[in-house]
Amino acid sequence: MFAEVIVDVAAYPIDRPFDYKIPELFEGFVEPGMRVKVPFGPRKVVGYVVDVKGESELAENKIKPLEELIDFDAILSPELLELSKWLAEDTLAYRIEALQVMLPAAMRAKYEKFIQVEQLDAITEPDFLTMLKGRDRVPLKYADSPILLKQLKAYVKSGAVQVDTLVKQQTAMKKVRMIHIVKAPILEELLNSLSKQAVKQRELVTWMIGHAGESIEAGKLLKDAGVSATVLKTLIDKGAAHEKKVEVYREPEVVQLRETAVPTRLTSYQQYAVDEVLHAFHKKQDTTFLLHGITGSGKTEVYLRTIEEVLSKGQEAIVLVPEISLTPQMTSRFKERFGDQVAVMHSALSAGEKYDEWRRIHRKEVKVVVGARSAIFAPFEKLGIIILDEEHESTYKQEDLPRYHARDVAIWRANYNGCPVVLGSATPALESYARASKGVYQLLELPKRAKEQALPTVNIVDMRAELQEGNRSMFSVSLAEAIRERLDRHEQTVLFLNKRGFSSFVLCRDCGTTIQCPNCDISLTYHRATENLKCHYCGHEERVPTICPECESEHIRFFGTGTQKAEEEIAKLFPEARVLRMDVDTTRQKGSHARLLQKFSEGQADILLGTQMIAKGLDFPNITLVGVLAADTTLHLADFRAAEKTFQLLTQVSGRAGRHDLAGEVFVQTYTPEHYAIELAKAQVYEPFYHMEMSSRKQFGYPPFFYIVNIQFSHEELMKVVDYAEKAARFLAEGLSPESVIIGPTASAISRVNNRYRYQCLIKYKKEPKLTETLQALIRFYRTDWIKDGLQLSVDKSPVVIY
Ligand code: ADP
Ligand code: ZN
Ligand code: ZN
């Protein structure tokens, strides 16, 4: 038998399966989706078996045998193997990259495999017992005959033994030492045989008699019995107890937020949406639904109800949420409803925790995963529904290879499994809404809030007028008044500050110099905690200067993060207010995000002040006021999606207010009140914005009317990067049809990162049958030739941000 193996070497000529012979020893054990070790040139590398076959086209003597099994059963299902093929093609990545992105990072670390005996009495095969020689843990490689492997497989199945991985890294499985105390008669016999001088030993045995037959964690036992580890060790040697390492899962921290009541009746809109989605589920149709529901309309309830039905039919569900900010409240709602059947996978988990959650899914111990982008690869095999909440979020796009969009992967998996996808948002991506308008997606609308509450009133405050009247504060008079009222009424306020425009930097007040990164074309960011300046692109760090490097003035000022500044101002204006600040600085520590939210939900603060991370998901009954301190900061980005992002953000934050019994009010402070994204966010209606924005996109030739491909070049030498970019542009122009437009090459918005000059080419097209072929040919040039000259080239077929 032969195995087709994709080896872990990302290089152009190697991007295909290689044939290996399956040695007799492993025959019958190797299956697609397992990892193996194979010789590759002079090295031994990890490979993924993608197929097993009876014949190979290569001559017998040319085929090397594979050397080792890494997994004992397939870690990638046939579906995921198939998906990796499509993913590699679609994103122009190596197949090996597509395979690796589906697995938790901990699985790529160095490891060793062991056989761990779980039930010694269940092992009866003489060969197997001989191999164990009384040990309860031996390296997997000891099972070195077909008979042993066969027995091993049977024991794994029955649970008598486990094959586990010792990852040579901190992310190994977490284990505790359990001490199993033998039965009382044996202990009593032992006690009699101990000499009178062995006081401590006698003491422990006596204690053990009181706990005969129990399994106790080693640390607890030592503490309870009041003896040292040496005494315990001696008694274990004398047969008073067995010790065993037991695997425990690291439970990711889930803070229990205030319980959300389970609504007894769905609204008619919710009911219709649930019915439509379940109809597709029962009919095994891979319909993509766009659930367009205003904030507070009960989208989450629709997800919960449909999943309930999917689970009752024995099937599984993936729920994607854009980022950690959403997770605490979202996960606690899912855990409330589905209990232990839920696995959580988000970016704040450690590699080890992610690995644990992944294994819970792989072992079919859970049926629902709630997670960020990569949870779309959850190894479920009976998928019944996939949900993307806040589907417009840019975090669903991976910026590294393979540059996939979770929405596309979701639709692929739904198609494979014959199940529906639900894309939910109050402010759908323009692309999605356009597809729904054309009938590619099925549109479901929730136009009313679930409890019939009115949407909050939105007031636009013109900050230019404030300035003219001499108000230099970050707070307009009307917003300050509104906050005061809330403090008096003991209601809660959320203040939102868009971080970008306010990110902290160092500015000389005499000459206007900002401190730049020496390696990149970007200002350094001030970090108060370390008193350092840091570059977010290359990681360069330096001390804060005391004098301006340009003019030697001492009037150099650090602008702390906008939130810090706002916090100081709130303290001055409202000294009695209890404020919680939520930004990158206060949430760096693990779990701190959830803890802050919990405090706020318990009413331990009056004002929650924060960045993007508080824009979404918050659902607390006592919030009646939302203030947006500066709405313009996203508006002026050099990004064709700037207006869309601003509208989305304002709608999202406004939606935090008045979601329950108390009415809500919103103040949006801006320097450009006449911009349509701001005007229309006041009305909080999506369609008029959609039409305005579509006509502007049409006029300027942007998505969804045109597709865009971004090709990025970088090189240490400016001349070379220009040269290659021009070569590539010519090549594209020759290969593509004349209707496609090639813009550039031009210097990128950030023209130098990490001492590498950056150029880019954009391709705009409507229909381009030769696109994939031409891009692949370009990549081939790059991978075989240009790369050797130090060029880096990346192709992004649907860029979300271009910097
Ligand atoms: P969305 O996800 O659309 O913003 P949520 O699902 O969070 O909305 O619902 C908003 C609030 O309304 C939540 O507190 C939720 O418990 C409540 N809710 C949802 N559906 C109903 C319903 N049918 N009846 C009463 N309350 C509901
Ligand atoms: Zn200066
Ligand atoms: Zn830098």
Side-chain angles (χ1 to χ4, degrees):
M1 297 293 282
F2 302 91
E4 283 188 15
V5 176
I6 300 276
V7 293
D8 186 2
V9 180
Y12 171 63
I14 297 161
D15 192 24
R16 63 174 179 86
F18 286 84
D19 283 0
Y20 285 90
K21 195 171 158 32
I22 300 175
E24 225 172 288
L25 173 61
F26 299 143
E27 227 159 78
F29 296 104
V30 180
E31 51 179 300
M34 276 183 176
R35 291 170 305 165
V36 290
K37 267 219 174 124
V38 293
F40 195 79
R43 293 181 286 164
K44 265 198 252 172
V45 299
V46 173
Y48 293 74
V49 177
V50 292
D51 206 358
V52 173
K53 55 190 184 183
E55 280 163 39
S56 169
E57 272 132 49
L58 296 173
E60 184 79 37
N61 59 351
K62 285 242 156 107
I63 307 185
K64 290 185 217 162
L66 54 86
E67 291 195 355
E68 218 181 281
L69 303 184
I70 296 179
D71 300 306
F72 207 67
D73 48 18
I75 51 164
L76 290 168
S77 61
E79 180 197 356
L80 292 178
L81 286 175
E82 189 70 28
L83 173 60
S84 74
K85 217 188 285 173
W86 172 80
L87 197 64
E89 244 171 59
D90 190 63
T91 63
L92 299 153
Y94 289 117
R95 179 88 184 270
I96 187 72
E97 291 167 327
L99 288 164
Q100 285 171 339
V101 79
M102 299 179 179
L103 295 169
M107 289 182 89
R108 294 169 58 189
K110 290 209 186 308
Y111 50 80
E112 215 180 318
K113 290 262 164 183
F114 288 92
I115 300 170
Q116 170 79 45
V117 178
E118 298 292 327
Q119 302 156 21
L120 189 59
D121 22 333
I123 294 172
T124 50
E125 298 283 356
D127 295 331
F128 209 83
L129 286 166
T130 315
M131 174 195 74
L132 289 175
K133 290 204 185 77
R135 293 162 293 196
D136 66 355
R137 189 175 169 84
V138 296
L140 179 63
K141 54 178 178 270
Y142 284 19
D144 57 357
S145 74
I147 293 168
L148 282 174
L149 278 170
K150 202 166 182 176
Q151 293 168 353
L152 175 61
K153 199 151 190 170
Y155 284 140
V156 169
K157 227 189 185 130
S158 74
V161 306
Q162 242 196 66
V163 173
D164 69 25
T165 316
L166 182 74
V167 180
K168 288 177 184 154
Q169 202 186 297
Q170 284 165 343
T171 55
M173 291 181 201
K174 194 166 162 189
K175 296 231 163 182
V176 292
R177 241 178 100 212
M178 294 297 288
I179 307 297
H180 180 73
I181 300 167
V182 299
K183 300 208 172 75
I186 306 174
L187 293 170
E188 277 152 14
E189 204 172 298
L190 178 66
L191 187 62
N192 292 333
S193 71
L194 288 173
S195 76
K196 286 268 176 295
Q197 283 88 326
V199 184
K200 280 285 162 191
Q201 286 184 39
R202 299 184 68 92
E203 207 175 281
L204 181 54
V205 176
T206 314
W207 185 88
M208 280 176 161
I209 291 172
H211 294 82
E214 291 177 18
S215 279
I216 304 171
E217 199 262 310
K220 183 172 159 38
L221 184 150
L222 294 178
K223 210 171 120 220
D224 289 0
V227 295
S228 74
T230 335
V231 180
L232 176 61
K233 171 99 187 21
T234 316
L235 283 182
I236 288 174
D237 291 346
K238 288 186 178 166
H242 307 294
E243 102 176 84
K244 198 169 118 182
K245 293 233 166 64
V246 176
E247 181 189 333
V248 290
Y249 290 124
R250 281 154 282 224
E251 257 307 303
E253 187 178 12
V254 176
V255 176
Q256 199 58 47
L257 297 167
R258 180 200 298 265
E259 291 215 359
T260 24
V262 179
T264 43
R265 291 194 55 223
L266 294 179
T267 67
S268 58
Y269 296 108
Q270 284 174 317
Q271 190 63 54
Y272 179 76
V274 169
D275 289 347
E276 285 294 294
V277 174
L278 288 181
H279 180 76
F281 165 68
H282 288 131
K283 287 254 145 62
K284 300 198 174 312
Q285 286 166 351
D286 61 339
T287 317
T288 302
F289 293 94
L290 178 62
L291 179 65
H292 174 221
I294 61 168
T295 56
S297 59
K299 294 185 287 298
T300 312
E301 195 54 43
V302 172
Y303 308 153
L304 292 165
R305 293 286 167 118
T306 46
I307 292 173
E308 218 160 42
E309 173 68 13
V310 167
L311 297 191
S312 79
K313 290 280 178 295
Q315 289 185 253
E316 299 145 336
I318 296 177
V319 182
L320 297 188
V321 292
E323 57 199 76
I324 47 164
S325 64
L326 261 176
T327 325
Q329 218 176 11
M330 209 49 174
T331 29
S332 70
R333 270 173 90 175
F334 275 82
K335 288 225 160 174
E336 260 168 52
R337 209 63 73 89
F338 304 120
D340 289 343
Q341 300 184 81
V342 182
V344 187
M345 288 235 211
H346 57 74
S347 51
L349 297 186
S350 68
E353 287 170 334
K354 278 185 196 151
Y355 179 42
D356 287 348
E357 293 296 276
W358 183 88
R359 283 185 306 142
R360 297 212 306 147
I361 303 168
H362 188 235
R363 291 180 182 170
K364 311 278 181 295
E365 293 172 10
V366 296
K367 292 203 160 348
V368 183
V369 58
V370 180
R373 182 176 63 227
S374 63
I376 194 59
F377 299 114
F380 283 135
E381 295 185 58
K382 284 184 290 179
L383 259 182
I385 194 167
I386 305 175
I387 288 162
L388 266 83
D389 189 36
E390 310 288 356
E391 67 91 32
H392 60 276
E393 278 294 318
S394 58
T395 51
Y396 283 130
K397 172 75 189 292
Q398 168 146 311
E399 294 301 325
D400 300 329
L401 280 166
R403 296 190 174 80
Y404 69 92
H405 198 296
R407 194 197 287 134
D408 301 333
V409 179
I411 290 172
W412 190 96
R413 290 197 74 177
N415 177 266
Y416 186 96
N417 288 281
C419 75
V421 177
V422 180
L423 309 174
S425 177
T427 51
L430 234 58
E431 286 89 336
S432 299
Y433 202 79
R435 268 177 216 153
S437 309
K438 278 197 193 154
V440 182
Y441 298 162
Q442 186 182 334
L443 187 64
L444 298 170
E445 301 264 9
L446 305 178
K448 290 226 169 66
R449 282 189 151 184
K451 297 178 188 162
E452 297 277 328
Q453 321 87 316
L455 279 171
T457 345
V458 178
N459 308 289
I460 307 287
V461 185
D462 186 347
M463 290 303 273
R464 294 170 305 193
E466 294 278 325
L467 203 61
Q468 270 164 19
E469 276 154 34
N471 180 7
R472 305 188 146 271
S473 147
M474 285 170 96
F475 293 87
S476 60
V477 173
S478 44
L479 176 57
E481 247 166 42
I483 296 175
R484 160 81 40 225
E485 274 173 32
R486 296 314 180 289
L487 290 173
D488 292 343
R489 296 209 300 254
H490 302 289
E491 292 171 4
Q492 290 179 305
T493 298
V494 169
L495 292 177
F496 174 78
L497 190 65
N498 196 352
K499 198 187 101 227
R500 281 215 226 199
F502 273 86
S503 89
S504 45
F505 55 98
V506 175
L507 178 86
C508 171
R509 290 165 87 191
D510 285 332
C511 75
T513 287
T514 55
I515 313 279
Q516 301 276 314
C517 173
N519 310 319
C520 310
D521 173 31
I522 197 102
S523 310
L524 293 174
T525 309
Y526 174 54
H527 284 250
R528 180 173 290 210
T530 51
E531 280 290 312
N532 270 359
L533 295 175
K534 204 167 172 180
C535 172
H536 285 180
Y537 287 91
C538 74
H540 168 86
E541 240 177 297
E542 60 182 66
R543 298 298 295 170
V544 172
T546 47
I547 56 167
C548 171
E550 283 298 317
C551 73
E552 303 197 335
S553 152
E554 286 173 8
H555 293 143
I556 187 152
R557 239 195 90 176
F558 326 118
F559 288 86
T561 51
T563 43
Q564 282 172 355
K565 210 170 132 213
E567 191 180 18
E568 285 160 21
E569 228 172 287
I570 294 169
K572 265 183 241 154
L573 286 169
F574 316 104
E576 77 280 22
R578 297 165 303 164
V579 182
L580 284 178
R581 196 180 101 215
M582 197 141 123
D583 57 19
V584 279
D585 286 330
T586 62
T587 54
R588 201 161 285 141
Q589 225 186 21
K590 217 171 146 262
S592 50
H593 185 273
R595 276 193 294 277
L596 285 174
L597 282 186
Q598 181 164 28
K599 265 184 150 176
F600 195 63
S601 94
E602 287 167 358
Q604 293 183 41
D606 308 302
I607 298 177
L608 178 66
L609 166 68
T611 53
Q612 256 92 333
M613 52 177 90
I614 62 169
K616 285 154 290 173
L618 289 188
D619 182 23
F620 299 133
N622 208 25
I623 303 175
T624 60
L625 174 64
V626 167
V628 179
L629 296 182
D632 318 71
T633 43
T634 37
L635 207 49
H636 307 300
L637 295 176
D639 177 355
F640 70 87
R641 290 198 174 89
E644 184 182 2
K645 281 183 187 156
T646 305
F647 179 80
Q648 283 166 349
L649 211 59
L650 291 180
T651 310
Q652 295 290 348
V653 255
S654 303
R656 299 311 110 212
R659 290 164 71 87
H660 296 258
D661 302 333
L662 301 167
E665 199 179 13
V666 179
F667 287 84
V668 175
Q669 303 188 152
T670 172
Y671 290 92
T672 42
E674 63 284 347
H675 193 286
Y676 65 93
I678 290 176
E679 267 185 345
L680 292 171
K682 177 179 163 68
Q684 299 170 81
V685 275
Y686 179 79
E687 284 75 9
F689 174 77
Y690 170 75
H691 293 299
M692 281 293 270
E693 185 63 12
M694 285 293 270
S695 67
S696 140
R697 298 280 179 91
K698 189 169 188 180
Q699 187 184 347
F700 296 105
Y702 282 123
F705 294 94
F706 285 83
Y707 293 103
I708 290 186
V709 179
N710 181 20
I711 304 163
Q712 191 85 49
F713 308 83
S714 85
H715 199 284
E716 286 177 4
E717 290 173 47
L718 182 59
M719 290 304 290
K720 285 213 163 153
V721 75
V722 175
D723 205 37
Y724 281 116
E726 277 171 355
K727 233 186 251 172
R730 276 198 301 277
F731 178 81
L732 292 172
E734 277 163 30
L736 300 175
S737 42
E739 291 77 39
S740 296
V741 185
I742 294 159
I743 304 168
T746 51
S748 305
I750 298 172
S751 63
R752 193 172 54 117
V753 167
N754 215 355
N755 285 320
R756 299 179 68 90
Y757 292 92
R758 305 172 75 240
Y759 264 69
Q760 70 187 29
C761 265
L762 291 183
I763 306 172
K764 265 192 193 178
Y765 69 96
K766 247 183 149 60
K767 229 194 196 136
E768 182 50 82
K770 288 190 284 182
L771 182 73
T772 307
E773 182 192 325
T774 312
L775 289 175
Q776 273 170 349
L778 178 69
I779 288 177
R780 207 148 47 228
F781 274 128
Y782 161 64
R783 286 175 179 174
T784 47
D785 212 11
W786 299 356
I787 193 169
K788 292 183 199 138
D789 195 22
L791 182 80
Q792 271 174 21
L793 178 149
S794 68
V795 178
D796 193 341
K797 273 173 73 182
S798 45
V800 170
V801 272
I802 302 171
Y803 75 87

